[in-house]
Amino acid sequence: MKLIGDLKWRYATKKFSNKKVANDDLKKIIEAINLSASSIGMQTYRLFVIDNQLLKKELGEGSFNSQIAESSHLLVFAAFDSINQEIINNYIEFVAKERKTPVKDLMGFKKTISDYLLSKTDEENFIWSAKQAYIGLGTALIAAATLKIDSTPMEGFDADKFDELLGLKEKKLKSVVILALGYRDEENDYLANQKKVRLPIEVFSTKVS
């Protein structure tokens, strides 16, 4: 299975070269993220793709993650800060349009979603949305690996700074995790030629019959 080999090849890149990711490959990664599994299918997060070098440098100032500024492209996963009836209504209308189904036929589905999500606090729904973003992150890591594009997922960033510079608050979003894309600098990345360390399958996985 080629995917296993690709996953053995990937690692959290520490130093990137100055080689840029091609637009066609970037589009494939973005499409893969968009096709990720998502609870209720609502995709309650958004993806921001940053190519601007000056902006990447500004976003990375003060962070111990030099990959923010060094990356070819930086992906920012931002979750909805709350969920209201309007968001649910818009989603139901979108599903009806895409599946060519009358909205009235989706009223049961809409009620189930509304009862579930609107009974929760904004913080609970934000956490739920952030978890959806992490599923997208996982898909991005796999997609990049299949294209032999290096990546580094990061939580060590100033979320408030990202939210401000990207205008996320006005969009009712909060940044939750970021992903640097590019190509490894094999001469300067101490991990580039190190063996990947993972638990043996028999230790990591338990079969329950």
mmCIF file of all heavy atoms in Angstrom, residues 42-67:
data_model
loop_
_atom_site.group_PDB
_atom_site.id
_atom_site.type_symbol
_atom_site.label_atom_id
_atom_site.label_comp_id
_atom_site.label_asym_id
_atom_site.label_seq_id
_atom_site.Cartn_x
_atom_site.Cartn_y
_atom_site.Cartn_z
ATOM 1 N N MET A 42 -21.360 19.659 8.413
ATOM 2 C CA MET A 42 -21.537 21.116 8.437
ATOM 3 C C MET A 42 -20.264 21.917 8.170
ATOM 4 O O MET A 42 -20.331 23.096 7.849
ATOM 5 C CB MET A 42 -22.140 21.554 9.769
ATOM 6 C CG MET A 42 -23.620 21.251 9.882
ATOM 7 S SD MET A 42 -24.364 21.930 11.388
ATOM 8 C CE MET A 42 -24.230 23.695 11.101
ATOM 9 N N GLN A 43 -19.095 21.307 8.344
ATOM 10 C CA GLN A 43 -17.823 22.001 8.108
ATOM 11 C C GLN A 43 -17.794 23.343 8.859
ATOM 12 O O GLN A 43 -17.629 24.406 8.263
ATOM 13 C CB GLN A 43 -17.600 22.243 6.613
ATOM 14 C CG GLN A 43 -17.436 20.966 5.811
ATOM 15 C CD GLN A 43 -17.264 21.250 4.333
ATOM 16 O OE1 GLN A 43 -18.248 21.576 3.649
ATOM 17 N NE2 GLN A 43 -16.058 21.136 3.831
ATOM 18 N N THR A 44 -17.922 23.271 10.170
ATOM 19 C CA THR A 44 -17.981 24.501 10.969
ATOM 20 C C THR A 44 -16.589 25.052 11.282
ATOM 21 O O THR A 44 -16.255 25.407 12.401
ATOM 22 C CB THR A 44 -18.763 24.265 12.270
ATOM 23 O OG1 THR A 44 -18.223 23.114 12.938
ATOM 24 C CG2 THR A 44 -20.233 24.071 11.998
ATOM 25 N N TYR A 45 -15.770 25.085 10.254
ATOM 26 C CA TYR A 45 -14.463 25.740 10.318
ATOM 27 C C TYR A 45 -14.119 26.209 8.909
ATOM 28 O O TYR A 45 -14.750 25.796 7.933
ATOM 29 C CB TYR A 45 -13.384 24.792 10.865
ATOM 30 C CG TYR A 45 -13.046 23.620 9.968
ATOM 31 C CD1 TYR A 45 -11.955 23.667 9.098
ATOM 32 C CD2 TYR A 45 -13.817 22.450 9.979
ATOM 33 C CE1 TYR A 45 -11.641 22.586 8.280
ATOM 34 C CE2 TYR A 45 -13.507 21.374 9.172
ATOM 35 C CZ TYR A 45 -12.409 21.446 8.320
ATOM 36 O OH TYR A 45 -12.104 20.375 7.507
ATOM 37 N N ARG A 46 -13.134 27.076 8.820
ATOM 38 C CA ARG A 46 -12.706 27.594 7.529
ATOM 39 C C ARG A 46 -11.183 27.511 7.424
ATOM 40 O O ARG A 46 -10.473 27.493 8.435
ATOM 41 C CB ARG A 46 -13.165 29.054 7.341
ATOM 42 C CG ARG A 46 -14.682 29.209 7.229
ATOM 43 C CD ARG A 46 -15.233 28.561 5.974
ATOM 44 N NE ARG A 46 -16.687 28.725 5.848
ATOM 45 C CZ ARG A 46 -17.575 27.819 6.232
ATOM 46 N NH1 ARG A 46 -17.176 26.685 6.793
ATOM 47 N NH2 ARG A 46 -18.865 28.045 6.070
ATOM 48 N N LEU A 47 -10.708 27.460 6.193
ATOM 49 C CA LEU A 47 -9.281 27.327 5.922
ATOM 50 C C LEU A 47 -8.752 28.606 5.284
ATOM 51 O O LEU A 47 -9.333 29.127 4.334
ATOM 52 C CB LEU A 47 -9.060 26.145 4.972
ATOM 53 C CG LEU A 47 -7.621 25.826 4.613
ATOM 54 C CD1 LEU A 47 -6.885 25.249 5.820
ATOM 55 C CD2 LEU A 47 -7.571 24.848 3.436
ATOM 56 N N PHE A 48 -7.639 29.092 5.804
ATOM 57 C CA PHE A 48 -6.976 30.271 5.235
ATOM 58 C C PHE A 48 -5.604 29.845 4.730
ATOM 59 O O PHE A 48 -4.822 29.228 5.464
ATOM 60 C CB PHE A 48 -6.869 31.382 6.279
ATOM 61 C CG PHE A 48 -8.203 31.950 6.673
ATOM 62 C CD1 PHE A 48 -8.987 31.304 7.621
ATOM 63 C CD2 PHE A 48 -8.691 33.100 6.073
ATOM 64 C CE1 PHE A 48 -10.232 31.796 7.973
ATOM 65 C CE2 PHE A 48 -9.941 33.602 6.409
ATOM 66 C CZ PHE A 48 -10.713 32.945 7.363
ATOM 67 N N VAL A 49 -5.323 30.163 3.467
ATOM 68 C CA VAL A 49 -4.083 29.745 2.814
ATOM 69 C C VAL A 49 -3.208 30.981 2.614
ATOM 70 O O VAL A 49 -3.572 31.894 1.869
ATOM 71 C CB VAL A 49 -4.381 29.072 1.460
ATOM 72 C CG1 VAL A 49 -3.091 28.571 0.824
ATOM 73 C CG2 VAL A 49 -5.379 27.929 1.641
ATOM 74 N N ILE A 50 -2.064 31.004 3.291
ATOM 75 C CA ILE A 50 -1.217 32.199 3.288
ATOM 76 C C ILE A 50 0.053 31.952 2.501
ATOM 77 O O ILE A 50 0.842 31.056 2.815
ATOM 78 C CB ILE A 50 -0.884 32.619 4.733
ATOM 79 C CG1 ILE A 50 -2.175 32.866 5.506
ATOM 80 C CG2 ILE A 50 -0.008 33.864 4.746
ATOM 81 C CD1 ILE A 50 -1.982 33.071 6.979
ATOM 82 N N ASP A 51 0.242 32.771 1.479
ATOM 83 C CA ASP A 51 1.413 32.703 0.613
ATOM 84 C C ASP A 51 2.319 33.918 0.825
ATOM 85 O O ASP A 51 3.521 33.859 0.576
ATOM 86 C CB ASP A 51 0.937 32.627 -0.848
ATOM 87 C CG ASP A 51 2.072 32.416 -1.825
ATOM 88 O OD1 ASP A 51 3.168 32.016 -1.395
ATOM 89 O OD2 ASP A 51 1.873 32.656 -3.030
ATOM 90 N N ASN A 52 1.739 35.026 1.284
ATOM 91 C CA ASN A 52 2.459 36.295 1.433
ATOM 92 C C ASN A 52 3.601 36.159 2.449
ATOM 93 O O ASN A 52 3.367 35.888 3.622
ATOM 94 C CB ASN A 52 1.468 37.377 1.870
ATOM 95 C CG ASN A 52 2.111 38.742 1.952
ATOM 96 O OD1 ASN A 52 2.932 39.006 2.822
ATOM 97 N ND2 ASN A 52 1.729 39.611 1.036
ATOM 98 N N GLN A 53 4.829 36.355 1.992
ATOM 99 C CA GLN A 53 5.988 36.146 2.849
ATOM 100 C C GLN A 53 6.039 37.126 4.015
ATOM 101 O O GLN A 53 6.381 36.753 5.147
ATOM 102 C CB GLN A 53 7.280 36.245 2.030
ATOM 103 C CG GLN A 53 8.542 35.892 2.790
ATOM 104 C CD GLN A 53 8.502 34.475 3.348
ATOM 105 O OE1 GLN A 53 8.076 33.545 2.670
ATOM 106 N NE2 GLN A 53 8.930 34.301 4.595
ATOM 107 N N LEU A 54 5.685 38.378 3.765
ATOM 108 C CA LEU A 54 5.719 39.377 4.835
ATOM 109 C C LEU A 54 4.694 39.051 5.916
ATOM 110 O O LEU A 54 4.962 39.204 7.114
ATOM 111 C CB LEU A 54 5.470 40.775 4.262
ATOM 112 C CG LEU A 54 6.583 41.355 3.388
ATOM 113 C CD1 LEU A 54 6.171 42.728 2.830
ATOM 114 C CD2 LEU A 54 7.886 41.493 4.183
ATOM 115 N N LEU A 55 3.535 38.590 5.494
ATOM 116 C CA LEU A 55 2.499 38.231 6.459
ATOM 117 C C LEU A 55 2.924 37.003 7.266
ATOM 118 O O LEU A 55 2.738 36.961 8.488
ATOM 119 C CB LEU A 55 1.172 37.967 5.745
ATOM 120 C CG LEU A 55 -0.011 37.543 6.629
ATOM 121 C CD1 LEU A 55 -0.263 38.554 7.738
ATOM 122 C CD2 LEU A 55 -1.266 37.341 5.783
ATOM 123 N N LYS A 56 3.523 36.021 6.600
ATOM 124 C CA LYS A 56 4.002 34.831 7.315
ATOM 125 C C LYS A 56 5.054 35.224 8.351
ATOM 126 O O LYS A 56 5.051 34.711 9.481
ATOM 127 C CB LYS A 56 4.575 33.810 6.334
ATOM 128 C CG LYS A 56 3.528 33.046 5.543
ATOM 129 C CD LYS A 56 4.158 31.948 4.699
ATOM 130 C CE LYS A 56 5.028 32.517 3.593
ATOM 131 N NZ LYS A 56 5.633 31.480 2.739
ATOM 132 N N LYS A 57 5.932 36.141 7.975
ATOM 133 C CA LYS A 57 6.976 36.599 8.898
ATOM 134 C C LYS A 57 6.351 37.292 10.109
ATOM 135 O O LYS A 57 6.749 37.067 11.250
ATOM 136 C CB LYS A 57 7.935 37.553 8.192
ATOM 137 C CG LYS A 57 9.077 38.043 9.068
ATOM 138 C CD LYS A 57 10.024 38.940 8.290
ATOM 139 C CE LYS A 57 11.139 39.446 9.192
ATOM 140 N NZ LYS A 57 12.062 40.352 8.447
ATOM 141 N N GLU A 58 5.360 38.141 9.846
ATOM 142 C CA GLU A 58 4.693 38.860 10.939
ATOM 143 C C GLU A 58 3.946 37.894 11.855
ATOM 144 O O GLU A 58 3.979 38.029 13.082
ATOM 145 C CB GLU A 58 3.735 39.903 10.365
ATOM 146 C CG GLU A 58 3.149 40.837 11.412
ATOM 147 C CD GLU A 58 2.332 41.967 10.813
ATOM 148 O OE1 GLU A 58 2.133 41.979 9.567
ATOM 149 O OE2 GLU A 58 1.882 42.837 11.579
ATOM 150 N N LEU A 59 3.293 36.902 11.262
ATOM 151 C CA LEU A 59 2.566 35.917 12.057
ATOM 152 C C LEU A 59 3.510 35.086 12.925
ATOM 153 O O LEU A 59 3.148 34.648 14.018
ATOM 154 C CB LEU A 59 1.764 34.987 11.145
ATOM 155 C CG LEU A 59 0.547 35.599 10.443
ATOM 156 C CD1 LEU A 59 0.029 34.659 9.362
ATOM 157 C CD2 LEU A 59 -0.560 35.912 11.445
ATOM 158 N N GLY A 60 4.723 34.876 12.431
ATOM 159 C CA GLY A 60 5.669 34.033 13.142
ATOM 160 C C GLY A 60 6.529 34.732 14.173
ATOM 161 O O GLY A 60 7.235 34.077 14.949
ATOM 162 N N GLU A 61 6.464 36.056 14.223
ATOM 163 C CA GLU A 61 7.293 36.811 15.166
ATOM 164 C C GLU A 61 6.946 36.424 16.603
ATOM 165 O O GLU A 61 5.787 36.406 16.997
ATOM 166 C CB GLU A 61 7.107 38.316 14.962
ATOM 167 C CG GLU A 61 7.781 38.826 13.699
ATOM 168 C CD GLU A 61 7.530 40.317 13.471
ATOM 169 O OE1 GLU A 61 6.776 40.910 14.278
ATOM 170 O OE2 GLU A 61 8.067 40.872 12.498
ATOM 171 N N GLY A 62 7.983 36.086 17.363
ATOM 172 C CA GLY A 62 7.783 35.730 18.764
ATOM 173 C C GLY A 62 7.480 34.270 18.999
ATOM 174 O O GLY A 62 7.424 33.826 20.145
ATOM 175 N N SER A 63 7.294 33.500 17.923
ATOM 176 C CA SER A 63 7.007 32.074 18.068
ATOM 177 C C SER A 63 8.296 31.276 17.969
ATOM 178 O O SER A 63 9.219 31.649 17.243
ATOM 179 C CB SER A 63 6.036 31.615 16.979
ATOM 180 O OG SER A 63 5.897 30.206 16.996
ATOM 181 N N PHE A 64 8.355 30.164 18.694
ATOM 182 C CA PHE A 64 9.529 29.285 18.583
ATOM 183 C C PHE A 64 9.451 28.417 17.331
ATOM 184 O O PHE A 64 10.392 27.697 17.012
ATOM 185 C CB PHE A 64 9.663 28.395 19.829
ATOM 186 C CG PHE A 64 8.470 27.530 20.112
ATOM 187 C CD1 PHE A 64 8.301 26.318 19.468
ATOM 188 C CD2 PHE A 64 7.509 27.932 21.030
ATOM 189 C CE1 PHE A 64 7.203 25.512 19.719
ATOM 190 C CE2 PHE A 64 6.408 27.135 21.302
ATOM 191 C CZ PHE A 64 6.252 25.922 20.647
ATOM 192 N N ASN A 65 8.342 28.508 16.613
ATOM 193 C CA ASN A 65 8.172 27.737 15.381
ATOM 194 C C ASN A 65 8.625 28.555 14.171
ATOM 195 O O ASN A 65 7.848 29.312 13.592
ATOM 196 C CB ASN A 65 6.707 27.318 15.215
ATOM 197 C CG ASN A 65 6.286 26.248 16.186
ATOM 198 O OD1 ASN A 65 6.985 25.255 16.369
ATOM 199 N ND2 ASN A 65 5.153 26.436 16.848
ATOM 200 N N SER A 66 9.883 28.394 13.797
ATOM 201 C CA SER A 66 10.418 29.133 12.651
ATOM 202 C C SER A 66 9.755 28.709 11.347
ATOM 203 O O SER A 66 9.806 29.436 10.347
ATOM 204 C CB SER A 66 11.932 28.922 12.546
ATOM 205 O OG SER A 66 12.228 27.545 12.351
ATOM 206 N N GLN A 67 9.095 27.539 11.362
ATOM 207 C CA GLN A 67 8.457 27.033 10.137
ATOM 208 C C GLN A 67 7.332 27.938 9.652
ATOM 209 O O GLN A 67 6.974 27.901 8.481
ATOM 210 C CB GLN A 67 7.899 25.618 10.376
ATOM 211 C CG GLN A 67 8.929 24.591 10.798
ATOM 212 C CD GLN A 67 8.972 24.408 12.307
ATOM 213 O OE1 GLN A 67 8.864 25.377 13.052
ATOM 214 N NE2 GLN A 67 9.125 23.177 12.755
#
